[in-house]
Amino acid sequence: LKMKKIFQKLISYYSKKLNTKFLGSKYGGWDFIETESLLNSTIISAGVGTDVSFDIEIMQKYNTKVIFIDPTPSALDHLELVLSSIGKHNTLPYSDDGKQNIDSYNLSNLKKEDFIIESKALYNLNDISIKFYQPKNLEHVSHSISNWQNNYSKNSPYLMVNTINFKNIIKKYKLQNIEIIKLDIEGAEFDVLSDLLKLKTKPKQILVEFDELQTNKIINYIKYLVLIIKLYLNGYTMIQTKNYPNFLFINRSSFPIIN
């Protein structure tokens, strides 16, 4: 806990204050920076789960296309339910448990062709078959490549899934610009972001949950401190948000206001 407090003070000191907007449910929502360039853009949402409230709201507000990346059967089932309900207004409020009822989403004015689904795991290595470990609590949806939820055990139950990396996502969908990537990928974010920083096409905003910071292992705090420094050296600045361990990084070349 002491390490967590030190880490939070450090990131608070080094992050910038900017006006952010929050979309989605309390559980599935994210902070980001509103820009005109979000209109009619394409964003990437990796780690879908059963709460796509942020994605639905950003699609409604900015007419975006979303590339959803997740091989988890329950997440894919949830997206299929969403697609089968396109055109309907919401009749229920959001829940806060990460399992949204389809009737909680406002799906009016949305188009099926704006939902692009990749049933693979986002990773730094492309087109390999990899173990996708079940969460410790089977009530939860999110599987994990790193298996941080089970203390990195190699003996937990798992699915075998295929991977895709950013380079091939960009190539497959001919992406010239990426406004936002949202990463909720249960411990794979370190490898994925390290891989992303090698590419020429970089997103303007990175919304990421550093899941491994929930383990309170000192090595993980050091690991993510190094990643934050790496992001800074590659042109990204951390913006203050309140939903720890969710982080927001913006590309300084796209936001000259923070230079």
Side-chain angles (χ1 to χ4, degrees):
L1 284 176
K2 189 177 178 184
M3 190 66 195
K4 180 180 177 181
K5 284 181 180 177
I6 293 168
F7 184 83
Q8 286 180 312
K9 278 187 178 179
L10 269 173
I11 60 173
S12 176
Y13 180 77
Y14 283 106
S15 58
K16 299 278 186 185
K17 281 188 177 178
L18 275 185
N19 288 332
T20 58
K21 186 167 186 67
F22 185 89
L23 289 182
S25 69
K26 187 177 177 182
Y27 178 93
W30 291 79
D31 295 284
F32 66 103
I33 306 291
E34 265 198 301
T35 63
E36 285 185 11
S37 57
L38 275 167
L39 285 168
N40 305 309
S41 66
T42 298
I43 72 169
I44 296 171
S45 181
V48 176
T50 51
D51 186 331
V52 289
S53 52
F54 170 79
D55 312 282
I56 297 297
E57 287 192 26
I58 209 164
M59 292 172 92
Q60 285 280 9
K61 191 169 175 61
Y62 303 103
N63 194 36
T64 59
K65 289 182 184 291
V66 179
I67 300 171
F68 294 92
I69 309 172
D70 198 322
T72 314
S74 52
L76 296 172
D77 288 347
H78 190 70
L79 283 174
E80 284 304 316
L81 279 173
V82 168
L83 287 173
S84 66
S85 303
I86 292 290
K88 294 181 180 178
H89 281 274
N90 56 312
T91 55
L92 292 173
Y94 286 138
S95 67
D96 292 332
D97 61 0
K99 295 179 181 178
Q100 294 302 342
N101 189 302
I102 297 302
D103 294 327
S104 298
Y105 299 127
N106 178 10
L107 300 171
S108 62
N109 307 318
L110 296 185
K111 302 184 289 289
K112 284 187 179 181
E113 56 266 32
D114 289 339
F115 289 75
I116 301 158
I117 300 170
E118 273 288 343
S119 55
K120 295 182 178 181
L122 187 63
Y123 199 43
N124 61 324
L125 301 172
N126 189 63
D127 200 24
I128 64 166
S129 186
I130 200 164
K131 291 178 180 177
F132 206 42
Y133 293 98
Q134 281 184 10
K136 190 174 185 177
N137 183 346
L138 294 181
E139 288 292 307
H140 295 165
V141 174
S142 304
H143 288 53
S144 169
I145 290 172
S146 75
N147 204 20
W148 68 271
Q149 297 144 309
N150 293 292
N151 203 29
Y152 305 97
S153 167
K154 299 297 180 191
N155 301 315
S156 306
Y158 59 84
L159 306 171
M160 292 303 295
V161 298
N162 290 326
T163 65
I164 191 164
N165 64 3
F166 265 119
K167 183 180 179 182
N168 281 275
I169 287 285
I170 289 166
K171 186 179 174 184
K172 182 174 181 178
Y173 297 103
K174 299 179 174 62
L175 301 176
Q176 303 296 322
N177 297 298
I178 306 170
E179 289 293 325
I180 285 176
I181 60 164
K182 188 202 81 179
L183 301 174
D184 188 358
I185 49 179
E186 305 300 322
E189 59 274 2
F190 183 89
D191 293 324
V192 164
L193 285 176
S194 298
D195 180 55
L196 172 67
L197 292 176
K198 299 172 189 171
L199 303 179
K200 190 176 178 183
T201 302
K202 292 185 176 66
K204 292 180 183 175
Q205 302 187 54
I206 298 171
L207 286 51
V208 57
E209 181 173 12
F210 290 154
D211 285 291
E212 290 181 296
L213 294 181
Q214 298 178 66
T215 64
N216 291 322
K217 287 179 180 286
I218 290 175
I219 189 67
N220 284 341
Y221 288 105
I222 295 167
K223 177 178 168 180
Y224 283 94
L225 205 52
V226 168
L227 180 59
I228 288 167
I229 292 166
K230 203 171 173 181
L231 282 160
Y232 182 81
L233 294 175
N234 279 272
Y236 285 93
T237 290
M238 191 188 338
I239 304 303
Q240 283 190 16
T241 59
K242 294 176 182 174
N243 209 10
Y244 180 91
N246 288 1
F247 290 78
L248 168 61
F249 297 91
I250 61 175
N251 194 322
R252 291 192 293 279
S253 64
S254 304
F255 293 87
I257 190 171
I258 62 166
N259 284 332

